């Protein structure tokens, strides 16, 4: 049965359809009787008009399946129709539907449309099918800058940085001029793969391209350049680029602050943060800025600065952002105020695995291993699955507390209960756990039985344990591999020299020091920070021309004399120089953490806790001296070294001399 209409009447689709309506031809019988047709003919379809608008409408309503059913019945799909279909595939996270759209697009002869090629490449990138993205790019003959940028972005997100540079050279050869997005994507490719010198060199080449083609005023490209140099640890380059930027936005400031914070320059990070607040009117710090600033406060044990930033977070309404609150929790814990970190955690409306990891790690660095394990179990009972960082945090907590059995059980549970294979960091934690407990043979056996090739972190953990227990044989074995894996790391040479010195093998000490000199390597100088009246002070070593250091050193000399009368014996064996005993004692008194403690005694009230941060491991002599001072001066002293927290009070340290 057919329905006939007057010649003057043209059937048009309604301007708006019910959202639930199914537009497949088999459901036309649901229309009122005056529109009834069991099967529309070709002429009827033509009369209705093209189905592009129907397909587009269905896509906008989220009805991708029905839109795809209509697609074969539209002989001339438009560019907009395909664009909306592609976007719908991304929205539905459906690679299979994306492949269907791609096939139709090729059949309709639109595969050489550069606009649609760009959309397809972006779609495959979002759906994590980089091979299909490559195929689209390879088959596209007319490649506009947008097509090139799309493949650069896709490859960068997939971690194929080297391939981006190969294509970038190809693009330059065919004469396609770059735009600001090109430079941004190619610079990001520098850090998409493993950080290597070759990729840093590529980044420098792109930097030169930016300058030659006049893009130095492009804030996006220059900000990405700052981030690229930061990822490679080239802080001076990043700072230079930032300083020369004619205009800066909140992202630029945040990138430079993060650069300082992540490259062990927390003092500069806080200085720049203060400068940002003072100089910018409309570029208020955002959540990313807050995270970096809090990290810097934690690194410096700048509690008062951290509290000021906490107030800023509350005023700006950033306290609902999970990364900010996790960073705040960590900041309080790293400033020695674990109870404030706990309070932040318990007041969080939502918690993700990062929040739980922050609390586990916080208990760990303070030496509360059993509490860290309990929080780890609580996280699982709350339905939050642990990730790799969770296990690093809880295993680290076991290391600091000497919980060997518990740590081994947790390590074994990774595969058995969570289907997670240990990474290099997890093996390093296990080796450290066993080594610290003087189970060095078992630690060495773990390395022998590893399912992956042991890296510097694993061998470094063994070497650190050998330093604690003065095991020369295993230390030499570990250093043999470390010198091959990271020949430019001076810390390994210094640790070996320390072990030789402990064993009174002075010829070997001399040999290692000669190696350092021959390879033009220098020991990382010890540096300590202390916050006094909301200002952070740093100490490196004795500087006779610095009145601040001179006053602190004079107090240390006086305290040393008093402590000797009460049983203190300077541990001069840790001084790796051929000097007289008296001179070695003078060197020990110049250690940065001792100067910071003395400065705190001079410049703080008797009731105040002295809080200090150090960039290296606390040495045995400084540990002993700080215990004495906490008792004689009746002061609470908190020192955070590179490994953990030490709470000194009444001559006792919270670590129990196990660190």
């Amino acid at each position: 049965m057919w329905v006939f209409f007057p010649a003057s009447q043209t059937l048009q689709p309604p301007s708006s359809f019910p959202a639930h309506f199914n537009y497949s031809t088999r459901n036309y019988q649901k229309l009122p009787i005056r529109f009834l047709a069991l099967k529309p003919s070709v002429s009827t379809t033509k009369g209705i008009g093209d189905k592009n608008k129907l397909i587009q409408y269905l896509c906008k309503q989220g009805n991708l399946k029905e839109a795809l059913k209509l697609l074969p019945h539209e002989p001339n799909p438009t560019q907009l129709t395909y664009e909306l279909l592609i976007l719908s595939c991304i929205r539905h996270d459906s690679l299979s539907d994306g492949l269907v759209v791609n096939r139709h697009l090729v059949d309709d002869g639109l595969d050489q449309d550069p606009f649609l090629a760009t959309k397809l490449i972006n779609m495959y990138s979002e759906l994590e099918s980089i091979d299909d993205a490559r195929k689209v790019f390879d088959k596209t003959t007319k490649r506009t800058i947008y097509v090139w940028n799309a493949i650069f972005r896709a490859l960068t997100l997939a971690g194929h940085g080297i391939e981006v540079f190969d294509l970038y050279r190809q693009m330059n050869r065919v004469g396609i001029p770059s735009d600001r997005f090109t430079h941004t994507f190619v610079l990001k490719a520098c850090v998409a793969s493993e950080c290597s010198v070759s990729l840093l060199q590529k980044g420098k080449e792109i930097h030169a391209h930016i300058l030659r083609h006049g893009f130095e005023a492009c804030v996006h490209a220059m900000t990405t350049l700052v981030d690229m140099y930061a990822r490679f640890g080239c802080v001076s380059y990043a700072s230079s680029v930032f300083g020369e930027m004619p205009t800066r936005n909140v992202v630029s400031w945040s990138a430079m602050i993060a650069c300082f914070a992540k490259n062990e320059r927390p003092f500069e990070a806080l200085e720049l943060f203060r400068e940002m607040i003072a100089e910018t009117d409309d570029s208020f710090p955002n959540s990313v800025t807050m995270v970096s600033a809090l990290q810097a406060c934690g690194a410096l044990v700048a509690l008062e600065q951290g509290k000021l930033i906490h107030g800023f977070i509350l005023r700006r309404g950033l306290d609902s952002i999970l990364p900010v609150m996790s960073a705040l929790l960590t900041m309080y814990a790293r400033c020695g105020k674990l109870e404030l970190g706990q309070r932040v955690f318990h007041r969080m409306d939502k918690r993700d695995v990062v929040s739980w990891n922050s609390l586990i790690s916080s208990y760990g660095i303070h030496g509360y291993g059993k509490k860290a394990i309990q929080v780890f179990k609580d996280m699982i009972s709350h339905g939050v699955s642990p990730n790799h960082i969770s296990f690093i945090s809880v295993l680290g907590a076991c290391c600091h507390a000497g919980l060997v059995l518990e740590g081994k059980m947790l390590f074994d549970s990774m595969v058995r209960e969570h289907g997670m294979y240990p990474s290099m960091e997890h093996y390093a934690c296990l080796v450290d756990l066993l080594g610290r407990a003087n189970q060095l043979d078992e630690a060495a056996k773990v390395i022998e039985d590893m399912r992956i090739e042991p890296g510097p972190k694993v061998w470094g953990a063994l070497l650190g344990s050998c330093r604690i227990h003065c095991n020369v044989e295993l230390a030499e074995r570990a250093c043999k591999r470390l010198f091959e894996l990271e020949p430019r790391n001076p810390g390994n040479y210094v640790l070996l020299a320390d072990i030789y010195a402990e064993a009174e093998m002075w010829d070997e000490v001399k040999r290692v020091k000669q190696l350092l000199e021959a390879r033009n390597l220098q020991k990382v100088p010890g540096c300590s920070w202390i916050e006094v009246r909301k200002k952070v002070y740093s100490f490196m070593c004795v500087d006779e021309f610095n009145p601040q250091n001179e006053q602190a050193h004079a107090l240390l000399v006086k305290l040393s004399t008093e402590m000797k009368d009460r049983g203190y014996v300077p541990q001069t064996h840790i001084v790796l120089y051929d000097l007289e005993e008296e001179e070695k004692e003078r060197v020990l008194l110049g250690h940065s953490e001792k100067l910071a403690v003395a400065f705190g005694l001079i410049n703080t009230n008797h009731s105040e806790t002295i809080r200090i941060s150090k960039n290296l491991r606390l040495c045995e002599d400084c540990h002993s001296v700080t215990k004495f001072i906490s008792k004689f001066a009746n002061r609470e002293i908190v020192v955070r070294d590179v490994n953990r927290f030490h709470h000194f009070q009444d001559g006792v340290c919270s670590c129990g001399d196990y660190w």
Side-chain angles (χ1 to χ4, degrees):
M1 181 178 70
W2 298 99
V3 178
F4 296 94
F5 297 93
S8 61
Q9 184 175 353
T10 303
L11 181 62
Q12 296 291 341
S15 58
S16 62
F17 290 87
H20 64 274
F21 192 80
N22 187 325
Y23 297 103
S24 62
T25 54
R26 66 177 180 274
N27 286 323
Y28 271 33
Q29 63 267 28
K30 294 183 180 179
L31 286 169
I33 189 66
R34 63 182 177 275
F35 291 113
L36 182 62
L38 296 179
K39 181 179 180 183
S41 64
V42 175
S43 60
T44 306
T45 305
K46 185 176 180 180
I48 294 176
D50 66 37
K51 293 186 175 59
N52 280 297
K53 290 184 179 179
L54 295 182
I55 297 172
Q56 293 166 18
Y57 177 83
L58 288 169
C59 289
K60 291 176 182 178
Q61 295 299 310
N63 202 339
L64 175 60
K65 295 298 183 184
E66 292 303 320
L68 287 175
K69 289 177 182 177
L70 273 181
L71 184 59
H73 300 287
E74 171 50 58
N76 298 303
T78 64
Q79 189 186 69
L80 178 59
T81 295
Y82 272 119
E83 180 188 6
L84 292 176
L85 284 166
I86 290 169
L87 292 175
S88 292
C89 292
I90 297 173
R91 196 177 301 117
H92 286 78
D93 194 25
S94 176
L95 177 59
S96 59
D97 289 332
L99 291 168
V100 170
V101 172
N102 194 349
R103 283 196 296 271
H104 279 291
L105 193 148
V106 172
D107 292 341
D108 289 330
L110 294 175
D111 54 316
Q112 292 305 311
D113 183 334
F115 175 81
L116 293 177
T118 301
K119 296 297 180 182
L120 279 174
I121 292 171
N122 288 336
M123 177 192 74
Y124 284 128
S125 174
E126 295 294 329
L127 299 178
E128 299 181 354
S129 181
I130 191 63
D131 289 337
D132 287 309
R134 284 194 191 98
K135 290 175 184 176
V136 172
F137 177 79
D138 292 339
K139 292 177 181 178
T140 304
T141 56
K142 186 180 178 182
R143 297 169 181 169
T144 63
I145 187 60
Y146 305 106
V147 175
W148 287 97
N149 286 347
I151 195 64
F152 291 155
R153 177 181 178 274
L155 290 169
T156 296
L157 291 175
H160 301 284
I162 297 294
E163 191 174 347
V164 171
F165 288 104
D166 293 337
L167 286 173
Y168 182 66
R169 281 195 296 269
Q170 182 182 334
M171 187 189 83
N172 288 326
R173 281 197 300 269
V174 298
I176 302 293
S178 302
D179 64 8
R180 62 190 182 96
F181 297 106
T182 312
H183 293 127
T184 300
F185 294 141
V186 177
L187 282 170
K188 287 181 177 179
C190 294
V191 291
S193 304
E194 68 283 351
C195 290
S196 65
V197 176
S198 63
L199 287 177
L200 172 60
Q201 186 57 41
K202 299 292 185 186
K204 290 180 178 179
E205 291 175 13
I206 304 304
H207 188 177
H209 277 233
I210 289 172
L211 298 179
R212 278 201 301 271
H213 293 90
F215 283 98
E216 61 268 23
C218 175
V219 67
H220 300 291
M222 299 303 281
T223 299
T224 309
L225 196 57
V226 169
D227 189 51
M228 184 273 295
Y229 281 129
R231 299 286 183 91
F232 285 106
C234 301
V235 182
S236 59
Y237 287 155
S239 184
S240 177
V241 171
F242 180 78
E244 293 173 2
M245 290 178 67
T247 57
R248 301 166 183 163
N249 58 18
V250 65
V251 181
S252 312
W253 285 94
S254 299
M256 194 63 228
I257 293 168
C259 173
F260 283 132
K262 292 175 181 177
N263 286 282
E264 299 180 359
R265 302 273 287 272
F267 193 87
E268 290 92 331
L270 279 186
E271 287 291 323
L272 191 62
F273 176 72
R274 282 192 288 268
E275 184 182 337
M276 175 186 183
I277 293 176
E279 289 192 8
T280 57
D281 296 325
D282 55 351
S283 295
F284 286 107
N286 60 16
S287 60
V288 177
T289 324
M290 292 293 102
V291 170
S292 296
L294 289 169
Q295 288 172 346
C297 291
L300 294 171
V301 193
L303 178 62
E304 296 306 314
Q305 295 283 340
K307 287 181 177 179
L308 290 174
I309 293 174
H310 188 176
F312 190 93
I313 289 168
L314 295 175
R315 288 194 300 275
R316 293 286 296 165
L318 300 174
D319 53 326
S320 61
I321 300 175
L322 278 174
V324 173
M325 299 310 289
S326 295
L328 186 64
L329 187 167
T330 301
M331 182 277 295
Y332 277 126
R334 289 186 174 276
C335 288
K337 298 294 286 185
L338 182 57
E339 67 279 9
L340 292 181
Q342 292 171 316
R343 193 179 303 172
V344 169
F345 179 82
H346 291 304
R347 288 182 177 178
M348 291 172 69
D349 293 330
K350 296 181 180 179
R351 301 171 190 139
D352 59 3
V353 68
V354 178
S355 311
W356 286 96
N357 290 347
S358 297
L359 187 61
I360 294 167
S361 176
S362 298
Y363 280 121
I365 61 174
H366 281 272
Y368 299 112
K370 291 186 177 179
K371 183 64 177 176
I373 294 173
Q374 183 57 52
V375 174
F376 178 82
K377 293 178 179 177
D378 290 344
M379 176 181 71
I380 296 173
S381 68
H382 279 77
V384 179
S385 299
N387 59 15
H388 281 76
I389 302 298
S390 308
F391 280 99
I392 291 172
S393 300
V394 73
L395 288 171
C398 292
C399 290
H400 296 312
L403 303 175
V404 178
L405 182 60
E406 293 88 340
K408 289 167 69 174
M409 291 175 63
L410 283 164
F411 184 87
D412 292 338
S413 74
M414 288 184 67
V415 176
R416 187 180 64 251
E417 296 178 18
H418 301 281
M420 192 182 303
Y421 284 100
S423 68
M424 195 70 67
E425 288 79 5
H426 300 118
Y427 279 111
C429 287
L430 182 60
V431 170
D432 192 32
L433 172 70
L434 296 168
R436 285 175 184 270
N438 203 16
Q439 298 181 23
L440 289 167
D441 290 338
E442 187 173 351
K445 184 69 166 55
V446 167
I447 296 176
E448 289 176 5
D449 296 341
M450 280 178 60
R451 54 182 291 274
I452 55 179
E453 185 66 25
K457 291 184 179 180
V458 175
W459 289 110
L462 183 63
L463 179 61
S465 298
C466 292
R467 163 70 177 82
I468 296 171
H469 301 291
C470 195
N471 189 311
V472 175
E473 182 182 351
L474 269 181
E476 290 176 335
R477 178 181 164 191
C479 279
K480 182 179 179 181
R481 289 292 295 126
L482 284 168
F483 292 165
E484 295 171 357
L485 293 169
E486 43 181 23
R488 303 294 301 170
N489 183 352
N492 298 325
Y493 298 86
V494 173
L495 275 177
L496 182 60
D498 285 345
I499 294 166
Y500 283 142
E502 181 78 18
E504 298 185 352
M505 300 169 65
W506 300 110
D507 289 340
E508 295 302 317
V509 172
K510 184 178 179 181
R511 181 180 64 82
V512 174
K513 290 175 67 176
Q514 287 173 343
L515 272 176
L516 273 169
E517 293 174 4
R519 298 178 182 181
N520 198 27
L521 301 175
Q522 292 185 342
K523 176 183 177 181
V524 176
C527 184
S528 296
W529 295 271
I530 181 172
E531 183 186 40
V532 176
R533 289 186 285 276
K534 298 181 182 178
K535 185 176 179 180
V536 178
Y537 298 84
S538 62
F539 294 85
M540 295 288 286
C541 61
V542 172
D543 182 351
E544 299 299 337
F545 299 102
N546 186 333
Q548 179 178 292
N549 279 11
E550 191 173 347
Q551 189 180 10
H553 188 254
L555 176 60
L556 285 173
V557 172
K558 179 183 177 182
L559 288 172
S560 177
T561 302
E562 295 177 2
M563 289 188 298
K564 283 180 181 177
D565 294 338
R566 303 192 187 190
Y568 163 63
V569 178
Q571 301 187 44
T572 56
H573 65 277
I574 65 176
V575 179
L576 304 180
Y577 300 99
D578 187 13
L579 302 171
E580 298 293 332
E581 284 297 304
E582 185 177 340
E583 190 65 17
K584 286 186 176 182
E585 290 182 24
R586 195 190 75 80
V587 171
L588 287 175
L589 287 179
H591 281 194
S592 65
E593 53 265 58
K594 291 191 184 78
L595 291 169
V597 169
F599 182 81
L601 290 172
I602 295 168
N603 293 283
T604 60
N605 297 324
H606 189 269
S607 59
E608 288 184 64
T609 298
I610 297 173
R611 303 178 191 280
I612 295 166
S613 173
K614 190 185 177 186
N615 65 333
L616 302 173
R617 179 182 182 271
L618 197 64
C619 81
E620 290 88 338
D621 189 69
C622 288
H623 194 267
S624 178
V625 165
T626 310
K627 284 199 296 184
F628 267 98
I629 292 176
S630 71
K631 184 174 183 179
F632 297 150
N634 192 25
R635 296 291 291 274
E636 181 183 0
I637 303 171
V638 178
V639 181
R640 197 197 73 231
D641 68 7
V642 72
N643 289 328
R644 59 163 297 154
F645 266 90
H646 301 264
H647 293 259
F648 298 94
Q649 197 164 20
D650 197 27
V652 178
C653 180
S654 61
C655 74
D657 299 337
Y658 186 88
W659 83 100

